[in-house]
Amino acid sequence: MNPIAKRLLSAASKYPDVTAYRTSMRSVSYSELFGIADRLSTDLNLKGTSPVIIKSRKTPETAACIIACVLSGRAYVPVAPDIPAVRLDTVISRTGSELMFDDGSFISVTKSSDTPDDTFEDTAYIIFTSGSTGIPKGVPISYGNLDNFITWISGLCPLESYRNTAVFNHASFSFDLSVAAMYYAWCGGHTLVDADTNVLSDYTGILDIFGKACVEVAVMTPTFANLCLLDRSFCAAVLPSLRCIYFCGEQLTVRTVERLWAAFPDLRIINAYGPTEATSAVCAANITPDMLTKPYLPIGTANGNAVDISVENGEIVLRGASVFRGYLGEEKAGCDANRYRTGDLGYTEGGYLYCTGRIDDQVKYKGYRIELSDIENNLNLIPGVRQSAVTAVRDVQGQVRYLKAFIAAEALETEAIRAALKETLPEYMIPKIITVTDKLPVTVNGKTDRKALT
Ligand code: AMP
C-alpha cells in the first residue's frame, strides 16, 4: 500500500464521525466519504490501469474519487470542469487515459495512439500547467513526493497545533494549492470546507460557508483574500473562529497583510512558496509585524523546509524529496538530477528567503500560472494571424491586473480572435484587451519590441 493511502486510512479509522468534506450543499463524514471511495475503487479496479482524469466539480463524489484513486494506487489527473476540448485532448494523449470521472460517474475516453510508454505505477497525480510552447505540460507527482510534502505541511507552525478543525479551500482541484488544503485536512482528521464553483461568484455565499463551518484555517491565494476583503463582513467580529491563513501560489503583499490584520487583529499568516513541480509548497514564513517595513515579505526560512533550497545566480533552485522527476513525455526535461530550477528570482537575507519575480515571461494572474508565450503560440495558430505578443498590465504593487494582446493580422475582428482562442485556452488566459495592427514593432535585433507595446 502506498504511504498516502496509509495516511488517509489511518485518519478515516480514527475519526469516522468527523465531517471530512463540506460544501454549501452537502456534508459527509469520514466514514461516508470513504464508503463512497470504496465503491468507486471497486469500479476503478475493473477499468484498466491508466491514469483517471477527474473533472474537478466540488462534490463529495469528486472528493471520494480522488481518495479512491489513491487507495487503488491509480494516478489521477484533475482538470477544470470547463477545460477546452483541445486541452483535454492533450491531457488524454500525454497521459494515455482511458477513463474520466465526470458528474459522479466514470466514462470511457478514447485512448490516443501516440501515448508515451509510462506505467505511472508510482504516480499519485498529474497536474497540467501552462506550457511556453502553447501545449500544457504534465507534472507527475509521485507518492514519495506527496508523502514528503504532507510530512512538511502537517508539521508546519501553527498548522501542527490544530485538532479536527475546519480547513477552507477555494482552489480548483486542478490547481495545486488545493493539494495543500486537501491532504493537510484529510491526513489530519480535519474537515475540508470547499467553496463550490458557483459560490465563487457570490462572496456572501463564501462568508456564509466560512461562518457556518466555523473555519479556523483557510488556504488561499492573496488574490482571493483581496476579493474577500472587499466585503466588510470579512472580519473577526463576523468570523471569530478564523485563526490562520495559509497563503501560497503568488506574491503576498505588505498591503494585503495590513488589511488582513486590520480586519483580524490576531490572525496567524503563513506565506508559503513552491511550484507544482515540487509538490505544492516547499517552504514558508510566519509573517510578523516587523516584516512589513521591507518591500517583500519572506517566503521561507533557512531550516525546516520540505527540500534543499539554494539561490544560484539569483534563481531559486530546489533539490530533494518533493521535486518531480520531469515533465510527462519529456523525462528529465525541467529537472536534472532531482534539481529543479524554478525560474523565480530570489535572495536570502537575515535567515529568510525572498522571491522578487520571474526570470522569464511566466505570470500569475488571479492566482493562475500563465506563460505569456502559451497565449501567443495559440494566437499564432488562428488563420490570418501573422504575429502576436501578449503583455501583462500590472498595478503599482506589481500584481497583474489584466492581459493585453497585440496582433499583426489583416481583416480579423477582435471578437473572432477571442472566439477562436476560447476553443484552445481556458477563460482566464483570454486577454482582456486585444489590439489588431498591421505589424508589431521590432528591436534592432529583429525581435518583437515588447517595451514599445503599450
Ligand atoms: P504553481 O505551479 O501554479 O503553484 O506556481 C508556482 C509559482 O508561483 C512559483 O514558481 C512562483 O513564481 C509563484 N509563487 C508561489 N508562491 C509564491 C509566494 N509565496 N510568493 C511569490 N511567488 C510565489
Side-chain angles (χ1 to χ4, degrees), residues 280-338:
S280 192
V282 294
C283 59
N286 272 279
I287 304 302
T288 51
D290 56 300
M291 293 171 176
L292 304 190
T293 53
K294 301 216 165 170
Y296 294 100
L297 294 169
I299 56 167
T301 53
N303 300 313
N305 300 322
V307 298
D308 288 336
I309 304 174
S310 54
V311 179
E312 299 175 18
N313 298 322
E315 181 180 12
I316 300 175
V317 177
L318 311 175
R319 199 185 275 108
S322 292
V323 176
F324 81 142
R325 62 170 192 263
Y327 297 106
L328 263 201
E330 336 167 19
E331 224 61 352
K332 301 292 167 229
C335 184
D336 180 22
N338 192 233

Side-chain angles (χ1 to χ4, degrees), residues 127-130 139 174-177 222 247-253 270-281 283-284 296-300 316 318 340-345 354-358 360 362-364 367-370:
I127 283 185
F128 278 78
T129 72
S130 177
V139 179
S174 55
F175 177 21
D176 79 339
L177 183 64
F247 284 109
C248 194
E250 59 184 346
Q251 198 161 102
L252 176 66
T253 63
I270 302 173
N271 188 20
Y273 159 87
T276 304
E277 287 84 343
T279 323
S280 192
C283 59
Y296 294 100
L297 294 169
I299 56 167
I316 300 175
L318 311 175
Y340 177 64
R341 292 175 49 202
T342 60
D344 288 320
L345 292 165
Y354 294 84
C355 173
T356 57
R358 294 285 308 173
D360 52 20
Q362 184 188 109
V363 298
K364 277 292 172 121
Y368 294 107
R369 167 172 158 180
I370 300 172

Side-chain angles (χ1 to χ4, degrees), residues 38-60:
D38 228 31
R39 287 197 293 281
L40 291 174
S41 303
T42 312
D43 249 20
L44 260 184
N45 294 335
L46 298 172
K47 295 178 197 275
T49 56
S50 63
V52 180
I53 297 171
I54 300 182
K55 283 209 174 169
S56 73
R57 298 181 203 284
K58 301 295 188 77
T59 63

Side-chain angles (χ1 to χ4, degrees), residues 2-3 73 75 118-125 140-145 325:
N2 70 65
D118 200 328
T119 59
F120 300 106
E121 236 169 55
D122 189 37
T123 305
Y125 63 81
I141 294 298
S142 69
Y143 293 111
N145 294 150
R325 62 170 192 263

Side-chain angles (χ1 to χ4, degrees), residues 75-255:
Y76 67 90
V77 192
V79 298
D82 57 352
I83 182 172
V86 175
R87 291 226 153 197
L88 184 59
D89 284 347
T90 303
V91 171
I92 294 170
S93 72
R94 287 275 154 121
T95 58
S97 290
E98 293 167 283
L99 203 60
M100 180 158 74
F101 188 78
D102 188 13
D103 231 357
S105 53
F106 290 111
I107 52 174
S108 298
V109 292
T110 312
K111 189 175 172 180
S112 166
S113 53
D114 59 351
T115 296
D117 266 346
D118 200 328
T119 59
F120 300 106
E121 236 169 55
D122 189 37
T123 305
Y125 63 81
I126 304 160
I127 283 185
F128 278 78
T129 72
S130 177
S132 53
T133 56
I135 297 169
K137 293 184 294 194
V139 179
I141 294 298
S142 69
Y143 293 111
N145 294 150
L146 187 54
D147 195 43
N148 191 58
F149 170 71
I150 298 169
T151 301
W152 173 78
I153 195 168
S154 309
L156 191 66
C157 172
L159 299 184
E160 92 295 357
S161 63
Y162 303 115
R163 297 285 167 264
N164 300 129
T165 195
V167 180
F168 177 79
N169 169 59
H170 68 83
S172 155
F173 292 135
S174 55
F175 177 21
D176 79 339
L177 183 64
S178 68
V179 168
M182 189 162 49
Y183 288 99
Y184 167 66
W186 290 338
C187 295
H190 305 300
T191 302
L192 185 69
V193 179
D194 217 336
D196 331 37
T197 324
N198 57 1
V199 170
L200 285 180
S201 50
D202 159 21
Y203 288 94
T204 48
I206 288 175
L207 298 184
D208 198 45
I209 290 198
F210 244 87
K212 282 194 185 132
C214 296
V215 167
E216 193 173 9
V217 177
V219 174
M220 288 186 184
T221 57
T223 298
F224 188 82
N226 288 331
L227 286 171
C228 290
L229 284 164
L230 293 176
D231 192 318
R232 284 188 174 199
S233 47
F234 190 65
C235 66
V238 181
L239 304 169
S241 52
L242 184 63
R243 296 253 153 77
C244 174
I245 302 186
Y246 169 102
F247 284 109
C248 194
E250 59 184 346
Q251 198 161 102
L252 176 66
T253 63
V254 168
R255 177 88 188 104

